[in-house]
């Protein structure tokens, strides 16, 4: 990093728990479990797309988000041009960390919310500093929004790293940041610049041009979907990404199994799913009180048609055949039930990468019945 920001002391291992013994099974084959599930009750299995079916390569994808964010900070929010020379170490941050926006700190806590490790920017805080900021074992903060941000998705690794760099940069160059800026203000700027990168096509345009550069190929996806369908279960996709991007990513992931890979618009991957819902606005999609309208997406043109009437009311739906169209935008869990002809969320297994972003209303409220 060629800037006023302090070079991180070391990477990766800081936040990780050292393993007691070397693991002989690769991480991709290990199964972690916190509840039991009888698959006999499951009639439909659904997937999130980004970071679930589509495993992005952090060294390219998160780096793209990191550099796109810096460009926006410099061009739109008056941060100094020297930020453009900063580098991203994609191995440094890990999920589970918490950002203290006001103090400019990055925290690792245990499950009792005791702060075990704390860094101010990239400098490790002493025990005394930690106790002064976060109290002793008896008094604990809740470490929730709005003062704290949980790094709970792989999408946030770049913004956490950039926040730490900016904290160091501001400490050593207070005159170089826009006047009136404090740590929390910098966090807000980073967050809104990241958000814009996701919304304005900065990331998605680049991924669409060259998916193999940003997404890991996974030859196990199609056989897994085929196996589920052969077992008599329905399969579905519910993603917050919109149709055009979903089509690019899924074409790439299912591509090696398609006969006509030369056409990026054959939509053949749709044959592995009964229902595809894009632009789903999870987690509210899964909340019973969500009344968002459902649109049908015309795959070739991307045109939206009102779909609510075509799939019928909940009462009449049991007697209606499943609709032949399968790509939708918006809607809610009630629409999903009708499209899949399932009576209850307890028959649905949904596989996602982000429990708060995918199904939880808050840290405390789980969507009724859904297996995750
Ligand atoms: N507007 C924002 N979009 C974001 C952000 N972080 C991720 N994303 C987008 O969400 C979906 C996730 O899709 P899913 O398949 O996991 O449901 C994807 O399109 C991301 O680009 C953000 O900070 N702001
Ligand atoms: Mg996801």
């Amino acid at each position: 990093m060629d800037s006023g920001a302090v070079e991180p002391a070391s990477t990766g291992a800081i936040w990780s728990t050292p393993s007691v013994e070397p693991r002989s099974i690769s991480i991709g084959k290990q199964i972690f479990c916190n509840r039991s599930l009888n698959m006999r009750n499951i009639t439909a299995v659904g997937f999130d797309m980004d970071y679930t079916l589509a495993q992005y390569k952090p060294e390219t994808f998160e780096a793209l988000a990191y550099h796109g964010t810096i460009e926006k900070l410099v061009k739109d929010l008056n941060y100094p041009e020297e930020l453009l020379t900063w580098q991203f170490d994609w191995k440094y941050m890990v999920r589970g960390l918490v950002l203290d926006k006001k103090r400019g700190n990055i925290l690792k806590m245990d499950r009792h919310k005791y702060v075990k490790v704390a860094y101010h920017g990239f400098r490790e805080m002493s025990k005394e500093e930690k106790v002064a900021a976060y109290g002793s074992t008896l008094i604990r903060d809740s470490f929730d929004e709005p003062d704290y941000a949980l790094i709970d998705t792989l999408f946030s690794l770049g913004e956490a790293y950039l926040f730490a760099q900016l904290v160091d940069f501001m400490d050593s160059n207070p005159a170089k940041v826009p006047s009136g800026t404090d740590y929390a203000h910098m966090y807000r700027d980073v967050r809104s610049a990241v958000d814009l990168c996701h919304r304005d096509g900065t990331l998605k345009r680049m991924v669409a041009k060259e998916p193999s550069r940003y997404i890991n190929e996974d030859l196990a996806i199609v056989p897994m979907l085929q196996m589920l369908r052969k077992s008599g279960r329905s399969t579905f996709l519910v993603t917050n990404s919109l149709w055009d991007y979903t089509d690019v990513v899924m074409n790439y992931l299912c591509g090696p199994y398609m006969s006509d890979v030369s056409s990026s618009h054959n939509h053949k991957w749709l044959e592995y799913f009964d229902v595809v819902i894009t632009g789903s606005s999870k987690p509210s999609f899964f909340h019973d009180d969500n009344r968002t309208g459902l649109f049908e997406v015309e795959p070739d043109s991307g045109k939206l048609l009102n779909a609510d009437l075509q799939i019928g009311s909940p009462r009449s739906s049991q007697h209606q055949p499943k609709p032949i169209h399968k790509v939708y935008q918006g809607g809610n869990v009630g629409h999903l039930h009708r499209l899949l002809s399932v009576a209850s969320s307890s028959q649905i297994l949904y596989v996602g990468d982000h429990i708060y972003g995918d199904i939880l209303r808050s840290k405390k409220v789980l969507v009724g019945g859904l297996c995750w």
Side-chain angles (χ1 to χ4, degrees):
M1 185 171 23
D2 177 23
S3 69
V6 180
E7 191 74 38
S10 61
T11 58
I14 291 170
W15 309 107
S16 354
T17 309
S19 55
V20 180
E21 56 193 43
R23 294 201 172 107
S24 52
I25 308 170
S26 75
I27 188 85
K29 293 201 170 146
Q30 289 173 37
I31 295 177
F32 302 87
C33 173
N34 63 2
R35 58 167 284 186
S36 61
L37 172 68
N38 188 343
M39 279 300 285
R40 255 187 295 216
N41 302 333
I42 299 295
T43 57
V45 181
F47 298 87
D48 165 74
M49 183 177 77
D50 297 289
Y51 272 124
T52 298
L53 293 180
Q55 288 299 321
Y56 290 94
K57 300 177 181 176
E59 65 275 31
T60 51
F61 183 78
E62 294 311 322
L64 186 66
Y66 169 87
H67 290 294
T69 304
I70 288 188
E71 267 189 34
K72 293 195 191 311
L73 290 177
V74 172
K75 293 195 177 135
D76 305 338
L77 296 168
N78 286 330
Y79 281 75
E81 292 215 347
E82 61 189 281
L83 269 63
L84 295 169
T85 64
W86 287 7
Q87 297 300 317
F88 172 49
D89 176 358
W90 62 274
K91 290 188 181 144
Y92 188 86
M93 294 293 175
V94 293
R95 277 181 296 181
L97 300 177
V98 171
L99 303 189
D100 179 341
K101 302 179 201 174
K102 278 190 178 161
R103 298 186 181 97
N105 298 343
I106 296 102
L107 315 175
K108 182 174 180 180
M109 286 176 295
D110 66 14
R111 67 186 139 139
H112 308 291
K113 297 203 168 172
Y114 175 73
V115 177
K116 305 276 282 185
V117 186
Y119 274 65
H120 179 72
F122 288 111
R123 177 185 64 79
E124 184 166 14
M125 292 166 67
S126 66
K127 192 167 179 206
E128 294 70 34
E129 286 177 298
K130 248 184 353 176
V131 171
Y134 303 109
S136 61
T137 48
L138 293 176
I139 311 154
R140 304 279 160 73
D141 203 322
S142 64
F143 297 103
D144 276 332
E145 292 280 355
D147 292 337
Y148 298 89
L150 189 55
I151 303 305
D152 55 1
T153 110
L154 292 167
F155 282 122
S156 354
L157 303 184
E159 70 191 67
Y161 192 80
L162 182 52
F163 178 62
Q165 282 180 306
L166 282 168
V167 166
D168 283 354
F169 182 73
M170 192 171 97
D171 286 352
S172 30
N173 310 275
K176 286 191 180 176
V177 295
S179 68
T181 305
D182 55 21
Y183 300 134
H185 191 124
M186 275 188 326
Y187 175 81
R188 271 200 307 279
D189 287 345
V190 170
R191 184 85 277 291
S192 60
V194 171
D195 190 50
L196 197 54
C197 285
H198 283 276
R199 285 190 285 112
D200 72 357
T202 302
L203 303 178
K204 293 183 169 110
R205 246 194 324 267
M206 297 299 285
V207 176
K209 260 194 218 161
E210 203 184 348
S212 61
R213 184 171 154 74
Y214 300 101
I215 304 174
N216 284 308
E217 187 179 59
D218 188 346
L219 296 177
I221 290 176
V222 167
M224 174 196 63
L225 293 168
Q226 284 170 328
M227 180 201 54
L228 288 168
R229 296 170 69 74
K230 216 168 141 201
S231 74
R233 295 184 174 88
S234 304
T235 51
F236 67 93
L237 186 75
V238 175
T239 171
N240 282 356
S241 287
L242 294 174
W243 164 248
D244 53 347
Y245 185 68
T246 303
D247 191 34
V248 166
V249 173
M250 293 308 298
N251 250 308
Y252 170 69
L253 289 173
C254 302
Y257 289 88
M258 292 171 193
S259 47
D260 182 12
V261 282
S262 57
S263 163
S264 58
H265 285 288
N266 60 25
H267 314 309
K268 261 188 73 89
W269 64 271
L270 286 173
E271 74 188 43
Y272 303 117
F273 294 94
D274 293 283
V275 175
V276 170
I277 297 190
T278 60
S280 64
S281 302
K282 287 172 294 175
S284 59
F285 178 87
F286 286 112
H287 301 165
D288 292 334
D289 52 5
N290 177 342
R291 296 281 171 268
T292 307
L294 182 74
F295 294 92
E296 189 186 320
V297 180
E298 205 287 303
D300 285 333
S301 64
K303 261 194 217 151
L304 299 184
L305 313 164
N306 192 333
D308 274 345
L309 294 176
Q310 295 169 39
I311 65 165
S313 64
R315 250 176 235 151
S316 63
S317 65
Q318 289 171 355
H319 310 292
Q320 286 179 349
K322 274 192 195 177
I324 46 165
H325 305 292
K326 55 168 77 166
V327 185
Y328 297 89
Q329 180 174 310
N332 55 50
V333 69
H335 292 118
L336 182 67
H337 285 188
R338 278 177 261 156
L339 290 166
L340 294 168
S341 303
V342 301
S344 147
S345 283
S346 62
Q347 293 170 259
I348 298 178
L349 172 66
Y350 183 66
V351 182
D353 65 300
H354 183 208
I355 194 157
Y356 299 125
D358 283 333
I359 64 165
L360 283 188
R361 186 194 298 265
S362 74
K363 286 187 191 172
K364 290 158 193 108
V365 184
L366 180 62
V367 177
L370 192 78
C371 305
W372 191 84

